Amino acid sequence: QVHLVESGGGLVQAGGSLKLSCAASGINFRLHTMNWYRQGPGNQRELVANITGSGVTNYVDSLKGRFTISRDNVWNRVYLQMNNLRPEDTAVYYCKTNYKGRDYWGRGTQVTVSP
């Protein structure tokens, strides 16, 4: 059974940093692209970044330079380093992967950025 658990969210002031973590189980982790999404208040869920099993990364253009996605294929974790956070980054951040044609999501971790 695929299981994704996010952690690392919290309350931070604008300009601060947070590093999110997603622990994955139930899949051959190194073979799977991992994704970070977010959903802000009143907004649709949107892709933030993803990383292939071999480490190729992709970012939403608006977040390039502030956010960095990485992974550890030994510990089956994917990370999202977020720097210079802004109030508009406030959202629930989700980890997602696809396994055998089905999307699996974690429950999310709340990130709140105060002005």
Side-chain angles (χ1 to χ4, degrees):
Q1 182 178 0
V2 180
H3 198 47
L4 303 174
V5 180
E6 302 94 337
S7 61
L11 174 63
V12 64
Q13 287 188 328
S17 298
L18 282 174
K19 186 173 184 177
L20 307 183
S21 177
C22 171
S25 60
I27 56 174
N28 192 341
F29 182 77
R30 64 184 179 85
L31 299 181
H32 291 270
T33 294
M34 300 299 296
N35 306 271
W36 282 103
Y37 281 74
R38 70 182 182 183
Q39 186 166 15
N43 295 333
Q44 291 186 333
R45 198 171 293 190
E46 62 177 0
L47 177 68
V48 172
N50 54 39
I51 183 167
T52 68
S54 59
V56 176
T57 59
N58 174 59
Y59 297 91
V60 171
D61 284 345
S62 60
L63 298 177
K64 284 181 181 178
R66 293 196 300 123
F67 288 17
T68 303
I69 190 171
S70 61
R71 65 189 295 155
D72 184 330
N73 287 343
V74 173
W75 292 99
N76 292 357
R77 289 181 179 265
V78 60
Y79 303 99
L80 186 68
Q81 176 68 47
M82 306 185 294
N83 297 327
N84 192 20
L85 283 161
R86 304 168 181 169
E88 54 264 39
D89 295 318
T90 294
V92 178
Y93 285 72
Y94 298 92
C95 181
K96 190 205 87 169
T97 194
N98 186 279
Y99 177 67
K100 292 187 177 181
R102 176 183 168 182
D103 287 338
Y104 290 85
W105 297 84
R107 291 188 175 184
T109 185
Q110 175 71 47
V111 171
T112 303
V113 184
S114 63

